[in-house]
Amino acid sequence: MLELGLIVRALLRHKMAALIIALQIALTLTVLVNAVFMIQDRQASMQRDTGVNETDTFYLTSRVFAPGYHYHSEIPKDLDLLRHTPGIIDAVYINSVPLSGYGSYQRLQLQPGKDQDSLLAGNYLSDDHVINTLELELIAGKNFQPEDVLIRDISSAKMPANIIVSRAMAAQLYPENWQQALGSTVYVDENVPLKITGIVKTLQGAWHFWDQVETTIITPVISLSDSGIYLIRTEPGRRDELMPKVEALLAHSNKNRIIRSVTTLQDTRDESYREHNATNKILLLVVLTLVLVTAFGIVGLATFGINRRTRQIGTRRALGATKGQIMRYFMVENSLITLLGIILGAIGAVALNIYLVETFAMTPVTPDLVLYGAISVFLLGQLAVLYPARKAALISPATATRMV
Amino acid sequence: MFFYYLRLARISILRHWGLSLLMVTAIALGIGAAMTTVTVNYLMSADPIPNKSHRLHTIQLDNWDENKPFKEGLEPPSFLTYRDAKNLLSAKKAYRQTMHTAAKAVIEPLDEQGLPLYVTVRANTRDFFTMFETPFVYGAPWQREVDSNNDLVVVLSEKINERLFAGENPVGKSIKINGEFYKVVGVLANWQPKPRFYHVDKIKAFDDSEDIFVPFTAITEEKINFDDNSYCWGPSTDTWQDYLNSECVWVHFWVEFDNPAEKQHYRDFLDGYVQQQRLYGRFKRPDDNRINTLDEWFQVQEVVNKDNNMLMAMAFLFLGVCLLNTIGLLLAKFLGKSAEIGLRQALGASKSTLFYQYMVESACIGVIGGLLGLVFAYLGLEGIELLYGEKMKALVALDTNLVIFAVLLSIVATVLAGLYPTWRACNIAPANQLKSQ
């Protein structure tokens, strides 16, 4: 690197042009690192498991409009019909569906009484078939028994004796050892006791943007209301074929209601993460265009720089500089500018991240991402300058004398 | 001279067409990205009822648990309990006031062949229609007495009137819900405020307005079941009557003030009301009565998605990169012309005429970039509609203000970007350049 001093001195004579590219690179790195980070962040939350068999499951809403509907007898009749339909593995009457954006929650506390610390949990109300229907993995304790199930009116807040919780819930109740949760008692409404009789591995709640999405409980309750959800799991591969059939079956079995919103769990997931997905695609597009704009900017500026220095390059060639040396000159020049840009950009990336963390409550960016970003931007600069540098190297020594 | 410079600019732009294309595309991409995000934000936070938004206010009271705030250190509950809403309504301390909530129902067929029709419902009191200026095609809001005498009346949306009565005047006819007959008193014209300001939250801010409107008493009398978020604390409730008397919050309460002084009076009234309720052992938390303007309420409910703000920040940084790109390229281009500039200076061109000439050239690039940027913004908005779906449909239109803003933004940006390169080019010593010729 004998020319290093030479290159620096030449650069200093055109410091504005160099500074502008450096700034452009800095800003590119700033946006790149933060955009990629945000994409990763969203991707990670989208990939979380709901704990439920999403492929073979669908649900529908049954809304009753006729007065004097006998919920107590009609709901078991519906369930019986569904559970005996060929192709259906199991079905439940439930208050909510994971990620649907519609559900209920409970406040649990370990000690009874006022002024006690409490935890929030998404709450599923269903019966003893819920574990089988959702295909949840029971990792401790046992499933509900039919006699555990409480049937109550919509306005009633009466509670059953037992509940099943997700492992994340158990871990929040007993941070030292989640297994302690099994058999222990928690309280709702300050002093109504509930015994934890089972723990499932994963079960997400209704709101994906809620930080308590992993902490859920299942209470064995059938809450009678004029609008209820039937959730149905079919044999693998038979979901789409059964959806219209089940819709018609329920609609015809009882004309005092409307069967609506027949939806798969997959569609619910897609709908729920639609904004995340859209934002990610937009960010990705921004990153790609940004990289292209910057790369073309470098190409354009380098080309012009070389055109301006044609005679100088010709002279160097005439004095014995090899093609390789000419190329190296421009690549070293570019790497000096890029390095300056990277230093500024790394500072900018962290600063923007701090701003985003404070304004939009995001998690801080990891240092390795800044490092990878810096390496990519450096390579981008070298790649962009390759073509102009090669063109410079092809300038023949004769140019030096011809161009006066 | 301007047109002469315009011609020179054309020649110069065409001669270095590759470079010019690069600059124009970069500016266009930057403007396109910035305009797309600005449009979405601008339309999301647009004032849906500009002539009276300063008079409409929502009320928040803190009736929450003494020991556990509704939201840690932040906000009192977003809605009121039924009993508070009813008390405030009957106190009549504001010029106009309304309580409302969302519900769902099925309209039953009146004859054998008819099919039941599932509808979304708003249950509200009379002033809702006057406060929010809902336009009527037929009929009018129900009489004020209806809010207290439990009459079953209904206002239909145009869409539902089309379905039920083929768009003809239905006033005086009846529809059947839950086995009871509701007399139609009016039909609204297509009324779809965006955001749906009377009921906004993170998810529902851009939903359509309801299919039918019924008196709030239909809910309290259990004729129609409410279907909205409800937040509760404290003692469990068993019957509907218990629920109405409970500390559960689910009722939206809005007031309209006739003049600004009324707001202060209302504040005093609310403070007095909370004091008085404390005698019944309620409101054990410190006073936190809020009277939100529409704008404040949208902030509380996070109507403008955080993602959009963040995307807008990113888009402007992106525009910054594109402009730096343009500065660099213009600098290279103008410095490449130093020989020509030196010659013209030697022939007597003043610095200011040269400056003028190159600024015209920069502005030309800005205008072309801006126009192309509008095309990109249009494509961007189409893309957003595609990605976000139905919900954003109302939010992806470019209006004249935005078009003017886009073109101005790109001209100002490019002229600013052209300033330094032009200044540098015009400060070349003519002697040096002539020597090198």
Side-chain angles (χ1 to χ4, degrees):
Chain A
M1 294 286 156
L2 288 172
E3 321 93 314
L4 207 59
L6 189 83
I7 296 172
V8 172
R9 275 196 298 280
L11 265 179
L12 284 178
R13 285 183 50 204
H14 295 284
K15 42 183 175 302
M16 247 347 246
L19 199 63
I20 285 165
I21 315 188
L23 275 179
Q24 193 181 337
I25 286 166
L27 220 47
T28 304
L29 183 61
T30 302
V31 176
L32 184 78
V33 169
N34 281 284
V36 169
F37 178 65
M38 285 189 272
I39 292 173
Q40 283 183 344
D41 203 35
R42 278 190 176 64
Q43 210 66 32
S45 74
M46 282 161 74
Q47 271 159 0
R48 289 173 308 185
D49 183 17
T50 50
V52 175
N53 176 341
E54 286 174 35
T55 27
D56 304 314
T57 311
F58 70 95
Y59 63 101
L60 51 85
T61 308
S62 154
R63 176 162 281 261
V64 173
F65 59 85
Y69 193 85
H70 290 289
Y71 298 98
H72 279 273
S73 57
E74 294 298 333
I75 290 170
K77 218 195 272 175
D78 284 340
L79 285 172
D80 205 46
L81 182 67
L82 289 172
R83 287 167 186 165
H84 287 99
T85 300
I88 290 179
I89 291 181
D90 210 343
V92 276
Y93 184 78
I94 197 166
N95 67 320
S96 166
V97 172
L99 305 182
S100 64
Y102 187 92
S104 68
Y105 62 82
Q106 270 290 355
R107 213 173 246 290
L108 303 183
Q109 52 196 58
L110 270 175
Q111 303 296 328
K114 274 180 180 260
D115 315 337
Q116 297 293 333
D117 289 337
S118 63
L119 294 165
L120 281 173
N123 186 11
Y124 288 104
L125 309 172
S126 195
D127 64 13
D128 50 313
H129 286 255
V130 67
I131 290 192
N132 187 34
T133 308
L134 293 174
E135 225 180 346
L136 299 174
E137 194 181 327
L138 193 67
I139 52 172
K142 57 180 177 42
N143 193 359
F144 297 126
Q145 299 305 306
E147 59 271 21
D148 292 333
V149 181
L150 174 78
I151 299 176
R152 70 180 194 200
D153 287 327
I154 179 86
S155 55
S156 161
K158 213 187 278 171
M159 291 303 282
N162 310 323
I163 55 168
I164 289 175
V165 302
S166 70
R167 183 164 65 186
M169 185 73 230
Q172 272 209 9
L173 290 166
Y174 295 94
E176 333 65 62
N177 180 11
W178 62 266
Q179 274 159 322
Q180 256 179 286
L182 190 68
S184 72
T185 300
V186 289
Y187 298 84
V188 292
D189 295 335
E190 288 169 4
N191 49 29
V192 181
L194 298 169
K195 195 173 168 207
I196 297 174
T197 52
I199 299 174
V200 291
K201 192 169 166 220
T202 313
L203 175 59
Q204 284 192 334
W207 304 277
H208 73 89
F209 50 83
W210 198 29
D211 55 4
Q212 300 287 345
V213 67
E214 304 287 350
T215 57
T216 45
I217 60 172
I218 310 171
T219 45
V221 164
I222 295 281
S223 177
L224 304 173
S225 86
D226 61 354
S227 179
I229 296 171
Y230 288 108
L231 193 135
I232 296 138
R233 178 158 71 92
T234 67
E235 285 165 9
R238 296 193 63 185
R239 183 194 70 191
D240 294 344
E241 155 212 350
L242 282 164
M243 279 170 75
K245 284 187 189 160
V246 169
E247 183 178 8
L249 186 70
L250 287 180
H252 287 109
S253 74
N254 192 330
K255 297 259 166 67
N256 293 322
R257 62 170 174 213
I258 293 186
I259 299 295
R260 299 176 52 250
S261 327
V262 186
T263 320
T264 67
L265 278 190
Q266 263 168 349
D267 284 345
T268 302
R269 163 181 280 275
D270 291 347
E271 193 49 48
S272 161
Y273 286 118
R274 189 170 201 145
E275 259 173 51
H276 270 27
N277 229 323
T279 306
N280 267 5
K281 284 189 178 141
I282 294 169
L283 285 174
L284 194 67
L285 190 70
V286 165
V287 167
L288 289 178
T289 347
L290 194 64
V291 165
L292 275 180
V293 166
T294 304
F296 277 109
I298 293 172
V299 172
L301 272 175
T303 311
F304 253 75
I306 287 158
N307 284 350
R308 218 154 33 91
R309 284 181 278 185
T310 307
R311 202 156 54 108
Q312 181 193 329
I313 296 163
T315 313
R316 276 196 68 198
R317 289 281 282 134
L319 291 176
T322 62
K323 285 184 182 177
Q325 279 171 328
I326 300 289
M327 270 191 83
R328 198 174 67 195
Y329 179 94
F330 286 102
M331 295 184 75
V332 172
E333 185 186 71
N334 176 274
S335 54
L336 286 178
I337 297 172
T338 315
L339 277 179
L340 178 65
I342 284 173
I343 294 168
L344 294 176
I347 299 169
V350 174
L352 176 64
N353 185 245
I354 290 172
Y355 165 76
L356 290 174
V357 167
E358 278 176 8
T359 326
F360 304 114
M362 294 190 343
T363 40
V365 70
T366 47
D368 55 330
L369 200 60
V370 181
L371 183 70
Y372 292 137
I375 293 170
S376 320
V377 169
F378 185 81
L379 291 178
L380 176 75
Q382 291 293 299
L383 207 68
V385 87
L386 214 56
Y387 169 73
R390 176 135 186 81
K391 246 178 77 179
L394 290 176
I395 290 169
S396 75
T399 327
T401 46
R402 227 186 294 135
M403 254 194 58
V404 175
Chain B
M1 277 321 245
F2 177 70
F3 290 99
Y4 175 62
Y5 289 152
L6 222 49
R7 232 173 68 211
L8 283 184
R10 202 184 76 131
I11 293 169
S12 166
I13 288 172
L14 288 179
R15 184 183 308 146
H16 303 281
W17 64 269
L19 203 64
S20 309
L21 189 69
L22 213 59
M23 286 192 270
V24 166
T25 317
I27 293 175
L29 285 172
I31 296 288
M35 285 315 296
T36 306
T37 52
V38 166
T39 307
V40 172
N41 270 41
Y42 165 83
L43 292 172
M44 268 193 161
S45 46
D47 189 341
I49 181 162
N51 54 326
K52 69 192 302 188
S53 55
H54 59 287
R55 283 160 51 184
L56 296 174
H57 295 79
T58 65
I59 306 297
Q60 285 175 278
L61 300 174
D62 197 350
N63 69 317
W64 222 245
D65 190 335
E66 192 177 357
N67 306 304
K68 290 185 200 79
F70 181 72
K71 256 188 201 171
E72 212 66 54
L74 292 171
E75 280 285 324
S78 306
F79 312 116
L80 300 191
T81 61
Y82 169 70
R83 64 199 273 197
D84 287 326
K86 189 149 180 12
N87 288 341
L88 295 185
L89 194 77
S90 29
K92 293 195 180 119
K93 291 291 179 189
Y95 175 60
R96 283 178 183 139
Q97 54 232 317
T98 184
M99 60 199 268
H100 59 92
T101 190
K104 281 172 182 171
V106 172
I107 299 178
E108 295 161 46
L110 292 175
D111 49 28
E112 283 296 309
Q113 319 70 310
L115 291 168
L117 182 63
Y118 176 85
V119 288
T120 53
V121 184
R122 179 118 325 233
N124 53 276
T125 55
R126 187 204 182 267
D127 278 350
F128 181 92
F129 302 105
T130 36
M131 283 172 76
F132 302 150
E133 298 189 334
T134 59
F136 276 82
V137 186
Y138 300 118
W142 53 74
Q143 298 299 309
R144 201 167 294 280
E145 307 88 78
V146 170
D147 288 337
S148 44
N149 68 9
N150 307 347
D151 275 358
L152 293 179
V153 295
V154 63
V155 168
L156 306 177
S157 69
E158 210 172 5
K159 187 179 97 191
I160 292 302
N161 188 45
E162 200 62 48
R163 286 283 297 272
L164 294 176
F165 299 103
E168 281 170 36
N169 187 347
V171 172
K173 294 183 179 157
S174 289
I175 62 171
K176 191 178 170 194
I177 301 170
N178 272 352
E180 307 232 26
F181 290 95
Y182 289 67
K183 203 170 112 193
V184 179
V185 294
V187 177
L188 295 188
N190 186 27
W191 180 62
Q192 300 293 356
K194 302 282 169 176
R196 189 181 62 167
F197 61 94
Y198 60 88
H199 181 167
V200 291
D201 59 38
K202 249 187 193 164
I203 306 167
K204 295 180 190 155
F206 297 94
D207 281 9
D208 284 346
S209 61
E210 283 75 8
D211 297 323
I212 65 171
F213 298 77
V214 299
F216 202 91
T217 49
I219 300 270
T220 46
E221 297 290 310
E222 266 193 292
K223 308 277 191 206
I224 286 180
N225 286 344
F226 97 101
D227 184 67
D228 202 347
N229 292 331
S230 162
Y231 304 92
C232 300
W233 65 273
S236 303
T237 52
D238 254 333
T239 66
W240 180 240
Q241 212 49 47
D242 289 341
Y243 185 77
L244 290 179
N245 288 323
S246 73
E247 294 291 345
C248 295
V249 294
W250 54 285
V251 183
H252 304 235
F253 191 80
W254 287 64
V255 292
E256 177 181 340
F257 299 132
D258 200 23
N259 56 63
E262 230 177 285
K263 189 167 176 175
Q264 191 50 49
H265 290 152
Y266 204 79
R267 197 175 290 285
D268 296 341
F269 158 68
L270 280 183
D271 291 346
Y273 172 74
V274 168
Q275 275 311 323
Q276 176 225 325
Q277 288 295 310
R278 286 199 172 112
L279 299 179
Y280 303 104
R282 303 181 62 219
F283 290 97
K284 291 193 173 148
R285 301 184 58 76
D287 267 6
D288 193 1
N289 309 327
R290 301 201 187 184
I291 306 177
N292 305 285
T293 61
L294 226 52
D295 206 36
E296 287 161 346
W297 187 238
F298 288 176
Q299 302 275 337
V300 171
Q301 297 292 322
E302 292 180 23
V303 170
V304 177
N305 193 312
K306 278 181 177 172
D307 270 8
N308 291 299
N309 278 325
M310 180 215 67
L311 283 178
M312 193 160 85
M314 297 301 255
F316 273 92
L317 282 176
F318 178 62
L319 178 62
V321 173
C322 295
L323 287 179
L324 279 173
N325 198 39
T326 310
I327 297 178
L329 293 175
L330 277 176
L331 191 63
K333 186 176 179 186
F334 290 167
L335 288 180
K337 288 180 180 229
S338 42
E340 181 191 320
I341 294 168
L343 188 65
R344 286 195 52 199
Q345 275 186 321
L347 293 175
S350 74
K351 269 187 192 169
S352 60
T353 55
L354 279 170
F355 196 78
Y356 185 25
Q357 180 198 333
Y358 288 108
M359 286 317 283
V360 169
E361 190 174 331
S362 304
C364 281
I365 290 172
V367 172
I368 304 170
L371 292 177
L372 188 60
L374 280 179
V375 176
F376 283 145
Y378 173 77
L379 291 177
L381 291 173
E382 290 287 302
I384 286 199
E385 191 184 319
L386 208 69
L387 286 173
Y388 286 92
E390 279 298 307
K391 190 183 141 188
M392 298 291 270
K393 203 138 204 156
L395 291 173
V396 291
L398 278 173
D399 67 10
T400 356
N401 285 346
L402 288 166
V403 170
I404 294 170
F405 178 71
V407 174
L408 280 182
L409 179 66
S410 66
I411 295 176
V412 169
T414 337
V415 167
L416 282 180
L419 272 180
Y420 176 74
T422 315
W423 178 79
R424 273 293 301 273
C426 299
N427 273 301
I428 290 161
N432 281 343
Q433 292 306 318
L434 291 176
K435 239 190 293 165
S436 74
Q437 282 290 308

